[in-house]
């Protein structure tokens, strides 16, 4: 077991409002983890506590089994944080050279350029003259400057256009192949689903789900079996099916929501009801996400 | 050590590229020096002594300015832009970062002193003994400590606009009242007695005394040490309070 990140019973509140409440999890070397949640779910606070930039009120967090503030740890991490601009008065290349000098085994400048999509001509520009997108690339390059084993990206794609986003995630996949451990926060479900091997879902400062995207989907997103019934059968009959969570009628179709559509189908056939045009649908992670984060606000059909 | 040197180099590059620094700390003092020793007839009996005296005024004016303004505003800028936060996750320790800032600030001061002294020699042929040149330069370097501390105090402000506004006012008031623009002897009696407690007056006075062939007064040294301690304590206190959040 090679535990890279460990959080134990970590809590933090601001002005008496709990931002993070009793959160514990650990991340192993080589994992690529998305911390997913709506705005204000406590994602950034959790990242800042992992990095040692914010002290938890209770509990503790370690990186590589050590204090995140120790030099040994800092030499092995890199991060792209929100609201971090670049140092002014220096050219891109000068900043890269400076930051590379902090680390024992920095990546060569041309490799940083290749990985982040910075261009040779950008390197000569003063950092304050860069466009927003170029600044993000420079921040990305700075996060990678020390060839870190563990990377943190807090809402990395905010403000990126589609092509920048794509090339960012391509590089992240490349970094994962090199064995890096990567943690990123996002409120875009699609990103978490596409890139991460594990999703930790936050809501109101707590972890509401944690697992592989497909497992989360099957566990959280309920499957739907729908069909057209010949005669107007009472819905109560369908409530008797196994693992049923909900039954409703929409138009001439009846929808059965369940945890396990295989068993529902089996039972439907066994009962030999007069039904036809059967369809099954896998719930989307999106729905699971909405479901988890909006408990109590259930949709009425 | 390498990263520390790289940090100092970067800081110095940034400062020399800063237009405000070049304008306020090099151009303006030399311009004033030219005006008040060559253009305006100040009617001073001993021209030579006045030229040396005013050269010290302008050098202390320059160094005081870059201590309060350049350092203070830069600190606020780096914090508001998140750079300070970013630095905390790099292996460069906060202490190394801070000392690199102070060391490069001191080197920049040394550079300003040399430039302004050379301007004095070229413009007016100011001639002092080697000992006096070295003594006065060292005094200006070391006695700028309270202003560096004041700079870090300005550096605790939340917004760049506030910091630059406030530090500008402090700088000008200190310079004028401290006798850097005109000798305090032209002030009314009561005001003269008050301004002698200002850090700027004591900073300048040490340099004036050296240029006149004396040593800085013990009073000046104590007052400057006192201000240094006060500014450092207050700025540390505020910083600690800000970090709690």
């Amino acid at each position: 077991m090679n535990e890279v990140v460990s959080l134990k019973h970590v809590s933090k509140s601001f002005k008496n409002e709990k931002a993070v409440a009793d959160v514990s999890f650990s991340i192993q070397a080589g994992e690529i983890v998305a911390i997913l949640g709506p705005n204000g779910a406590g994602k950034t606070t959790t990242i800042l506590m992992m990095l040692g930039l914010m002290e938890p009120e209770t509990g503790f967090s370690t990186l590589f089994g050590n204090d995140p503030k120790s030099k040994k740890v800092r030499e092995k991490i890199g991060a792209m944080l929100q609201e971090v601009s670049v140092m002014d008065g220096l050219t891109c290349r000068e900043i890269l050279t400076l930051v590379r000098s902090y680390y024992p085994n920095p990546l060569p400048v041309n490799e940083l350029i290749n990985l982040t999509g910075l261009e040779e001509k950008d390197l000569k520009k003063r950092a304050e003259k860069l466009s927003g997108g170029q600044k993000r690339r420079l921040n990305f390059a700075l996060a990678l400057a020390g060839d870190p084993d563990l990377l943190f990206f807090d809402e990395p794609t905010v403000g990126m256009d589609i092509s920048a986003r794509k090339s960012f995630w391509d590089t992240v996949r490349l970094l994962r192949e090199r064995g890096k451990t990567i943690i990123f926060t996002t409120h875009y479900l699609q990103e978490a689903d596409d890139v991460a091997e594990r999703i930790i879902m936050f809501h109101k400062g707590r972890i509401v789900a944690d697992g592989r995207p497909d497992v989360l989907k099957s566990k959280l997103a309920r499957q739907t079996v729908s069909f057209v019934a010949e005669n107007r059968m009472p819905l109560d009959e369908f409530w008797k099916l196994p693992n049923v969570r909900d039954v409703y009628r929409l138009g001439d179709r009846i929808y059965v929501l369940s945890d396990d559509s295989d068993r529902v189908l089996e039972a439907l056939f066994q009962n030999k009801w007069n039904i036809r045009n059967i369809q099954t649908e896998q719930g989307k992670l999106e729905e699971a996400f909405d479901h988890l984060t909006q408990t109590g606000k259930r949709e009425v059909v | 050590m390498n990263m520390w040197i790289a940090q100092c180099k970067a800081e110095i590059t940034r400062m020399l590229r800063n237009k405000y620094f070049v304008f306020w700390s090099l151009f303006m003092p030399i311009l004033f020096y030219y005006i008040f020793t060559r253009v305006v007839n100040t009617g001073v009996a001993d021209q030579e002594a006045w030229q040396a005296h005013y050269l010290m005024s302008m050098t202390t004016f320059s160094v005081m300015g870059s201590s309060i303004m350049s350092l203070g505003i830069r600190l606020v800028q780096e914090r508001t832009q998140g750079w300070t936060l970013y630095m905390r996750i790099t292996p460069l320790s906060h202490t190394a970062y801070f000392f690199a800032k102070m060391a490069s600030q001191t080197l920049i001061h040394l550079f300003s002193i040399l430039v302004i002294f050379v301007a004095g020699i070229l413009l007016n042929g100011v001639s002092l003994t080697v000992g006096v040149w070295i003594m006065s330069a060292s005094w200006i370097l070391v006695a700028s400590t309270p202003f560096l501390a004041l700079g870090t105090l300005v550096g605790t402000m939340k917004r760049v606009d506030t910091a630059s506004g406030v530090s500008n006012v402090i700088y000008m008031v200190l310079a004028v009242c401290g006798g850097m623009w005109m000798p305090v002897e032209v002030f009314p009696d009561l005001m003269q007695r008050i301004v002698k407690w200002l850090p700027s007056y004591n900073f300048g006075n040490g340099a004036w005394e050296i240029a006149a062939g004396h040593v800085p007064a013990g009073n000046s040294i104590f007052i400057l040490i006192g201000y240094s301690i006060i500014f450092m304590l207050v700025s540390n206190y505020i910083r600690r309070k800000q970090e709690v959040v």
Side-chain angles (χ1 to χ4, degrees), chain A residues 231-263:
Chain A
N231 23 12
R232 298 226 134 224
M233 289 174 65
L235 291 181
D236 291 353
E237 281 300 310
F238 299 107
W239 276 106
K240 292 174 194 151
L241 293 167
N243 301 61
V244 166
R245 286 293 186 79
D246 202 1
V247 180
Y248 55 88
R249 197 190 300 266
L250 193 65
D252 58 352
R253 294 186 78 80
I254 289 171
Y255 290 80
V256 176
L257 260 65
S258 81
D259 300 336
D260 189 343
S261 53
D262 294 347
R263 294 195 56 201

Side-chain angles (χ1 to χ4, degrees), chain A residues 182-278:
Chain A
I182 296 159
I183 300 165
F184 66 92
T185 67
T186 181
H187 54 255
Y188 298 120
L189 264 149
Q190 201 57 49
E191 283 185 347
D193 195 11
D194 286 352
V195 186
E197 288 162 348
R198 174 178 168 196
I199 296 178
I200 301 177
M201 220 184 267
F202 268 69
H203 183 53
K204 292 189 174 154
R206 290 177 190 279
I207 295 177
V208 287
D210 180 352
R212 285 170 43 148
D214 53 338
V215 175
L216 273 193
K217 265 191 276 191
S218 66
K219 216 169 92 190
L220 299 171
R222 285 169 296 169
Q223 295 154 319
T224 322
V225 179
S226 70
F227 43 82
V228 179
E230 269 313 328
N231 23 12
R232 298 226 134 224
M233 289 174 65
L235 291 181
D236 291 353
E237 281 300 310
F238 299 107
W239 276 106
K240 292 174 194 151
L241 293 167
N243 301 61
V244 166
R245 286 293 186 79
D246 202 1
V247 180
Y248 55 88
R249 197 190 300 266
L250 193 65
D252 58 352
R253 294 186 78 80
I254 289 171
Y255 290 80
V256 176
L257 260 65
S258 81
D259 300 336
D260 189 343
S261 53
D262 294 347
R263 294 195 56 201
V264 170
L265 286 171
E266 210 184 302
L268 281 176
F269 291 128
Q270 273 169 7
N271 283 333
K272 292 199 164 47
W273 284 320
N274 196 4
I275 57 176
R276 59 184 169 83
N277 211 349
I278 299 168

